[in-house]
Amino acid sequence: MEYKDVHLTSFHYAKLYRRKKVIAEARNSIGSRSRGCGYGDQSIHAERAVVKRLGDVSQLHGCVLVVVRMNKHGDLMGSKPCEDCTKFLEKCIREYGLRKVYYS
């Protein structure tokens, strides 16, 4: 997956898996509220972007979400969800059947 560099320090990548196959992938990116729900003041987080790319939240049933953070050199870094993403993912688990979420 190739993306245009929009941040200078690190990138978050998210992949949704079902039965060990990638069904959607996305990364944090610059956006605006005019582009639709999921965008903060200046960006959309990888967790929300991958669900938007999936299209239909009912497809989350049985999926595993993996989110990793990498610096601009490609080195793996620690990652954790923000408060809004935590609430969003809890809803995805509770209401749409997302099975697990892993962070680097």
Side-chain angles (χ1 to χ4, degrees), residues 29-68:
S29 63
I30 300 297
S32 69
R33 291 191 189 275
S34 65
R35 292 179 65 187
C37 71
Y39 286 90
D41 290 336
Q42 296 181 350
S43 67
I44 183 169
H45 292 182
E47 300 93 329
R48 288 182 180 256
V50 75
V51 173
K52 282 181 73 81
R53 182 155 294 160
L54 185 61
D56 181 8
V57 291
S58 68
Q59 292 184 44
L60 284 174
H61 187 77
C63 287
V64 172
L65 174 64
V66 177
V67 181
V68 296

Side-chain angles (χ1 to χ4, degrees), residues 1-86:
M1 178 181 341
E2 192 170 314
Y3 291 100
K4 185 177 174 183
D5 289 347
V6 293
H7 296 291
L8 297 177
T9 57
S10 64
F11 307 90
H12 284 83
Y13 298 91
K15 288 189 180 188
L16 275 170
Y17 292 88
R18 182 183 298 120
R19 296 184 193 107
K20 298 181 183 181
K21 291 178 106 177
V22 175
I23 62 167
E25 55 187 307
R27 151 196 123 129
N28 58 323
S29 63
I30 300 297
S32 69
R33 291 191 189 275
S34 65
R35 292 179 65 187
C37 71
Y39 286 90
D41 290 336
Q42 296 181 350
S43 67
I44 183 169
H45 292 182
E47 300 93 329
R48 288 182 180 256
V50 75
V51 173
K52 282 181 73 81
R53 182 155 294 160
L54 185 61
D56 181 8
V57 291
S58 68
Q59 292 184 44
L60 284 174
H61 187 77
C63 287
V64 172
L65 174 64
V66 177
V67 181
V68 296
R69 179 178 172 208
M70 300 177 86
N71 68 15
K72 63 183 177 179
H73 305 292
D75 300 321
L76 191 62
M77 300 176 69
S79 179
K80 65 180 184 175
C82 69
E83 187 177 322
D84 288 340
C85 287
T86 298

